[in-house]
């Protein structure tokens, strides 16, 4: 069973008005959402990572010819 609560983290401690209902121990998944008081947090892109991956996006084969070759193999069997 999953239960969703709303809480804040203050100085590394989870603080919630529902804290009295927390179990003594549990496994949790935490999703961080933007704090509306702080406004949306903008992350700057890591251009070094982007640049290093650009070459991987280039097509290395003629995709139309590759598809035709595959289809020819299917028809031979």
């Amino acid at each position: 069973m999953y239960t969703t609560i709303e809480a804040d983290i203050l100085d590394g401690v989870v603080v919630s008005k529902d804290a009295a209902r927390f179990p003594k121990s549990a496994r949790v998944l935490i999703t961080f959402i933007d704090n509306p008081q702080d406004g949306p947090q903008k992350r700057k892109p890591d251009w070094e990572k982007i640049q290093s991956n650009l070459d991987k996006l280039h097509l290395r084969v003629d995709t139309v010819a590759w598809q035709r070759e595959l289809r020819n193999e299917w028809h031979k069997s």
Side-chain angles (χ1 to χ4, degrees), residues 42-71:
K42 294 184 180 178
R43 293 187 294 171
K44 294 182 180 179
D46 184 348
W47 288 107
E48 286 183 22
K49 278 188 181 178
I50 293 170
Q51 292 285 338
S52 68
N53 285 303
L54 282 179
D55 289 337
K56 297 175 185 173
L57 298 175
H58 292 291
L59 296 176
R60 294 181 176 95
V61 296
D62 178 5
T63 55
V64 174
W66 175 73
Q67 289 255 336
R68 286 184 180 143
E69 185 179 324
L70 282 178
R71 289 183 184 136

Side-chain angles (χ1 to χ4, degrees), residues 8-38:
D8 295 313
I9 296 180
L10 301 172
D11 295 321
V13 177
V14 176
V15 179
S16 172
K17 61 183 176 188
D18 297 324
R21 298 186 340 191
F22 285 178
K24 284 195 173 256
S25 64
R27 285 185 73 201
V28 298
L29 299 173
I30 296 177
T31 302
F32 291 97
I33 57 175
D34 291 333
N35 186 347
Q37 296 168 349
D38 297 339

